[in-house]
Amino acid sequence: MNNPVIIVGSGLSGLRAASLLTEKGIKCRVLEARDRIGGRVLSASDPKRPDLGKFDLGPKWFWPQYESQIAKLVKELNLETFEQYSKGEILIERFQIKPPERCELKEHTDEKWVRLTGGVQSLIDVLAETIPSEIVELETRVKKVQLNEAGDITVEAELSDGKRKKFPAKAVILALPPRLVAHHIEFSPSLPPNLIADIVKKPTWMAGQAKVVAVYDRPFWREVGLSGYVLSAVGPLEEIYDASPNNGPGALFGFFGMPPAAREKMGQDKILKLVVDQLVKLFGSEAKNVKAIFYKDWSSDSETTVEEDLSPLKNYQSYGPPPVEGVWEKKIIFAGTETNSEYSGHLEGALQSAEQAVAEIINLNEKDVS
Ligand SMILES: Cc1cc2nc3c(=O)[nH]c(=O)nc-3n(C[C@H](O)[C@H](O)[C@H](O)COP(=O)(O)OP(=O)(O)OC[C@H]3O[C@@H](n4cnc5c(N)ncnc54)[C@H](O)[C@@H]3O)c2cc1C
């Protein structure tokens, strides 16, 4: 039987796995719940102002001196990169009633924080071009994975019209946050208790976070010697960085200090007003002239986040490969950044997990042939 490998999820790990399997001539299909590819990678543009460019609402940086797989892939795919802007002073906001302090930003080592021109979405888009488009099925939410006594696997998914579709599978690569597997996918027979206990202890990276990007006609803060980098004990943003494209308008992005429940209670309009007020306090009245503003609260996105992710991270998390034993061994293979030991949470971890999953599939294939 020559069933395809089914990959659940079209984030960076799922797409990389599909690309590597395609390169090896191994049949695969990618099933994706959302109506878009990329998962936590999301680069937004304003439909009314596409000239402003694309801005990352998910990941933004990689660190090539430590992260060899992403550095290699970006080079192979001929993607253009540039370094995070960091010249000038940092602002520290300690008290609500006092102006922020300006401090010199210490030249830290030779560590490079690297960005992709056109946003991280450009990596996703170019990677998607390396696989046949017809193998990716959007709005196909995997609900159940079944294994019969003969060892055949069937993956069952719900489509956008509520209908169910079944996919026979040679093996299944679960390229999605492990907690989503535990919460949203039924297994028959059930997954062993030790495996479930392990996967629920892998919090989804950044799932409780939200990001805002304010776009201006130019990076005016640079003209007065500011880097755009801010640390705030006051909020609503607790960390702010320059998010300007390498050519064109200016942009600032920030991570929130407010917990998810407080953001939900306050609502988007009020949050965005507070954000602009904070930017004006920090950078002066020019910060009022926002050309576009983007907001993404990942904590309310059920394709990334489950309820446990809304609480602060505790020390009990255990990133790395889940222990798959018993009947499911060699039938389901976990990928996704949370299943990588060294770079869990990062784009690098997503890529390394995909390579590991594909190595396991190749191993299975070789055993089939011998
Ligand atoms: C705000 C933010 C900032 C970040 N900043 C950085 C950064 O600067 N640098 C860095 O290296 N990393 C950063 N990260 C982390 C990085 O985004 C992730 O490590 C990476 O994108 C994870 O990829 P993945 O493929 O493992 O998972 P995901 O991207 O989560 O992909 C999983 C996919 O599975 C799909 N899915 C879910 N359920 C189902 C189902 N039942 N059936 C079918 N499909 C399903 C989802 O829709 C999704 O497309 C950031 C993340 C966020 C949210």
Side-chain angles (χ1 to χ4, degrees):
M1 202 171 14
N2 192 17
N3 288 332
V5 173
I6 296 288
I7 300 169
V8 185
S10 72
L12 183 58
S13 60
L15 290 177
R16 179 62 172 155
S19 173
L20 291 169
L21 289 174
T22 304
E23 198 181 287
K24 295 277 173 209
I26 299 172
K27 270 204 310 183
C28 64
R29 279 202 105 64
V30 183
L31 309 183
E32 168 55 53
R34 287 180 166 109
D35 61 359
R36 61 169 183 87
I37 57 171
R40 273 170 277 177
V41 175
L42 178 62
S43 311
S45 59
D46 183 344
K48 286 184 245 134
R49 292 291 314 271
D51 56 305
L52 292 174
K54 285 197 168 175
F55 300 91
D56 285 315
L57 294 171
K60 179 168 180 250
W61 301 295
F62 69 100
W63 294 268
Q65 62 275 48
Y66 315 118
E67 301 184 337
S68 59
Q69 296 308 312
I70 188 160
K72 197 167 127 222
L73 184 63
V74 160
K75 212 166 177 188
E76 259 170 44
L77 297 174
N78 270 324
L79 293 167
E80 203 183 300
T81 61
F82 63 105
E83 266 186 65
Q84 171 66 29
Y85 185 83
S86 61
K87 287 193 200 89
E89 289 180 321
I90 170 179
L91 292 176
I92 314 254
E93 195 182 28
R94 292 183 209 275
F95 307 102
Q96 190 78 54
I97 47 160
K98 286 195 182 167
E101 295 157 36
R102 282 178 78 127
C103 302
E104 215 173 292
L105 192 57
K106 288 217 170 58
E107 282 292 322
H108 49 66
T109 64
D110 54 355
E111 188 177 83
K112 286 192 171 71
W113 293 43
V114 174
R115 296 176 55 195
L116 283 154
T117 301
V120 181
Q121 190 75 42
S122 59
L123 169 60
I124 293 292
D125 293 344
V126 175
L127 194 55
E129 284 169 18
T130 66
I131 57 182
S133 58
E134 67 276 8
I135 70 167
V136 182
E137 304 208 18
L138 298 178
E139 297 185 279
T140 304
R141 182 182 305 276
V142 171
K143 299 290 265 187
K144 191 168 179 180
V145 183
Q146 239 172 322
L147 177 67
N148 70 14
E149 278 177 9
D152 305 322
I153 310 170
T154 307
V155 176
E156 198 174 317
E158 190 179 80
L159 308 181
S160 56
D161 58 7
K163 289 198 178 118
R164 295 262 175 150
K165 187 171 170 184
K166 290 186 175 175
F167 300 84
K170 178 187 171 62
V172 180
I173 297 182
L174 295 161
L176 69 165
R179 278 186 170 172
L180 292 184
V181 175
H183 277 252
H184 297 322
I185 304 183
E186 182 191 340
F187 288 82
S188 172
S190 306
L191 296 180
N194 70 321
L195 175 57
I196 296 179
D198 180 87
I199 61 180
V200 296
K201 277 197 216 150
K202 298 186 195 303
T204 305
W205 192 254
M206 302 298 273
Q209 258 299 344
K211 211 168 157 178
V212 70
V213 186
V215 185
Y216 298 97
D217 58 7
R218 62 181 212 292
F220 57 87
W221 49 94
R222 296 182 185 176
E223 295 158 15
V224 291
L226 290 174
S227 60
Y229 180 30
V230 180
L231 292 176
S232 171
V234 173
L237 299 177
E238 65 176 7
E239 275 178 53
I240 300 173
Y241 298 86
D242 189 306
S244 313
N246 51 350
N247 282 311
L252 292 164
F253 101 79
F255 285 121
F256 285 80
M258 288 162 87
R263 296 195 302 266
E264 206 204 335
K265 196 163 168 222
M266 187 171 281
Q268 179 166 335
D269 291 349
K270 202 158 175 209
I271 288 176
L272 294 186
K273 188 186 170 305
L274 287 182
V275 164
V276 176
D277 289 349
Q278 185 184 11
L279 294 176
V280 170
K281 182 181 167 208
L282 292 164
F283 296 104
S285 59
E286 272 205 275
K288 261 192 219 141
N289 305 327
V290 175
K291 299 294 166 211
I293 192 157
F294 302 96
Y295 176 66
K296 169 75 183 168
D297 193 334
W298 290 94
S299 70
S300 56
D301 187 332
S302 62
E303 268 108 31
T304 294
T305 305
V306 298
E307 212 177 324
E308 293 98 296
D309 293 314
L310 305 184
S311 317
L313 285 190
K314 296 209 184 99
N315 288 332
Y316 62 75
Q317 68 257 28
S318 71
Y319 291 114
V324 186
E325 289 151 4
V327 290
W328 286 107
E329 198 180 349
K330 301 188 170 60
K331 301 290 181 188
I332 54 169
I333 296 163
F334 281 86
T337 191
E338 284 77 16
T339 69
N340 179 253
S341 309
E342 214 179 337
Y343 296 94
S344 53
H346 282 204
L347 296 163
E348 175 74 6
L351 290 177
Q352 290 201 10
S353 72
E355 295 193 10
Q356 180 60 38
V358 168
E360 284 185 46
I361 298 282
I362 292 170
N363 206 7
L364 287 181
N365 264 21
E366 281 164 3
K367 285 200 181 123
D368 272 2
V369 176
S370 59

